[in-house]
Amino acid sequence: MTFVQQGIGKALEIPPVALRTVAEALGDAPDNGRGDERCVSTVYRPRHPLDLREVLSPLARGGDGPGFRRMSDGAWATFRAPDGPVTLRISAHGEEVHATAWGAGAAWAIDGLPELLGDSDDWSALDVSASPLLTEVLRRNPGIRLSRNRRVFEMLVPSIIEQKVTCTEAWRSWRLLVRRHGTPAPGPAPDGMWVAPDASGWRHIPSWEWHAVGVGPQRAQAVVRASRVADALERTIAEPPETASSRLQSLPGVGAWTAAEVTARSHGDPDAVSVGDFHLAASVGTAIVGEPVDDDAMLELLEPWSGQRQRVLRLVALSGIRKPRRGPRITRQDHRWH
């Protein structure tokens, strides 16, 4: 039997976990041979306008892949929850969001749905009136929110893989590793969806497997080192983003860029700035002052919005303004042949 949780988020101040507890008394869903197929559903009514696909977009890692699949009315996503694998289906229905989760982590996913959809992310104090461009972007996108997905190590692995290579290379490598070493997505997920390995799974990938998918030894070793302290990293979800960022940067191979990429997703960090990104500073400069700038100048431009810089960066991304393309593209590095 499917668990059905009928709630309206914080609009009625009904705690989702209490509703789920009542629903679980109904019984268990049948096992279809793909592990724990527990199924939990909810209906959530956000307190503010919500652009569902845009809020979930940071999970995409380059578009549709083993852990994320866009749909016309929402998306599918997979996570490695504390209780085990989970597949989450989220869809928009007018002012409501319908969500169903399958797998051992289903209850965890449903309990965290408001956070995932930015329920506690408050943009009301953000003043971008000094920039006509950002003011217009914000006006046209009232449904943008910062997602908080609560998975620190799971966000750290692809961020490490993305270091110092093109996005295309990194996403290809990450997808191959997830498909080879992850687990099939529970429930009726679309074909080709997988759940990323747990910390032990990442730790035991042979060195030649990393090499075969184009991940160099420095990045591979950084993932393995992080996997040894994955439990401690997960505990940072209860800490402020700046504390989590400091703890992440204490790991060899994890710098400011990587930590910001993680906390922006795991913690919904409103101030995360990926300093050192190849394109970011130039895009920010072009959007705000009409010309590319370097990292130091970008931080100066963002200083008036200290504490909310990630929100400003999301507006810059939504503006469609990108770093001007001049000169040849970056040469892709293929580590498989050396």
Side-chain angles (χ1 to χ4, degrees):
M1 180 180 295
T2 299
F3 301 153
V4 178
Q5 175 189 354
Q6 296 292 335
I8 314 183
K10 294 188 177 180
L12 294 182
E13 298 184 352
I14 301 174
V17 65
L19 291 170
R20 176 178 56 79
T21 302
V22 174
E24 285 183 338
L26 298 175
D28 293 329
D31 188 345
N32 67 0
R34 299 181 71 182
D36 185 345
E37 293 302 312
R38 184 186 309 183
C39 177
V40 185
S41 296
T42 191
V43 175
Y44 165 69
R45 184 173 295 150
R47 299 175 297 174
H48 44 64
L50 183 66
D51 185 337
L52 185 61
R53 294 184 65 179
E54 182 59 36
V55 171
L56 295 174
S57 63
L59 297 175
R61 320 287 333 192
D64 293 349
F68 187 82
R69 195 68 54 85
R70 291 167 294 189
M71 306 293 287
S72 59
D73 60 349
W76 292 82
T78 67
F79 296 97
R80 177 70 60 174
D83 296 329
V86 57
T87 299
L88 180 63
R89 172 72 169 96
I90 307 175
S91 57
H93 296 264
E95 295 183 352
E96 296 178 341
V97 175
H98 293 197
T100 302
W102 295 266
W108 172 90
I110 293 299
D111 285 346
L113 182 69
E115 291 180 272
L116 184 67
L117 301 183
D119 180 78
S120 60
D121 182 36
D122 184 6
W123 288 57
S124 61
L126 179 64
D127 180 4
V128 292
S129 58
S131 169
L133 172 67
L134 297 183
T135 299
E136 180 62 14
V137 173
L138 182 58
R139 185 188 69 81
R140 292 186 179 187
N141 294 273
I144 185 61
R145 292 292 182 276
L146 301 183
S147 172
R148 184 177 188 268
N149 65 45
R150 304 174 293 154
R151 302 307 296 149
V152 180
F153 178 72
E154 192 168 347
M155 297 300 104
L156 177 58
V157 174
S159 297
I160 291 174
I161 292 174
E162 290 169 6
Q163 293 174 354
K164 299 180 180 180
V165 295
T166 66
C167 292
T168 302
E169 292 175 82
W171 294 332
R172 172 189 174 277
S173 300
W174 180 77
R175 290 171 181 176
L176 287 172
L177 288 166
V178 169
R179 290 184 177 121
R180 293 179 185 180
H181 299 280
T183 54
D191 289 343
M193 293 201 74
W194 290 73
V195 181
D198 60 12
S200 177
W202 286 110
R203 188 162 59 249
H204 289 96
I205 295 175
S207 59
W208 58 86
E209 283 273 357
W210 293 99
H211 191 73
V213 300
V215 177
Q218 289 184 328
R219 288 178 291 153
Q221 291 166 12
V223 171
V224 171
R225 283 192 295 263
S227 74
R228 298 191 180 110
V229 293
D231 289 343
L233 294 177
E234 296 306 332
R235 290 194 290 271
T236 67
I237 202 64
E239 299 175 339
E242 56 270 22
T243 303
S245 177
S246 296
R247 294 187 186 279
L248 284 164
Q249 291 181 66
S250 71
L251 298 174
V254 177
W257 181 90
T258 305
E261 290 291 303
V262 175
T263 60
R265 294 172 170 86
S266 61
H267 289 69
D269 183 357
D271 201 43
V273 181
S274 300
V275 177
D277 188 275
F278 185 74
H279 300 286
L280 183 62
S283 297
V284 170
T286 303
I288 296 178
V289 297
E291 62 182 16
V293 299
D294 60 16
D295 280 340
D296 290 340
M298 174 185 70
L299 292 175
E300 289 184 16
L301 289 174
L302 294 175
E303 180 60 30
W305 296 293
S306 180
Q308 303 202 69
R309 294 177 296 178
Q310 176 61 205
R311 296 188 178 112
V312 173
L313 295 178
R314 290 298 296 275
L315 294 178
V316 170
L318 285 168
S319 75
I321 292 177
R322 300 291 182 267
K323 172 184 177 181
R325 294 186 179 274
R326 299 190 182 98
R329 293 186 177 182
I330 295 177
T331 301
R332 296 180 183 176
Q333 300 295 320
D334 192 340
H335 298 278
R336 293 173 294 171
W337 310 113
H338 51 77

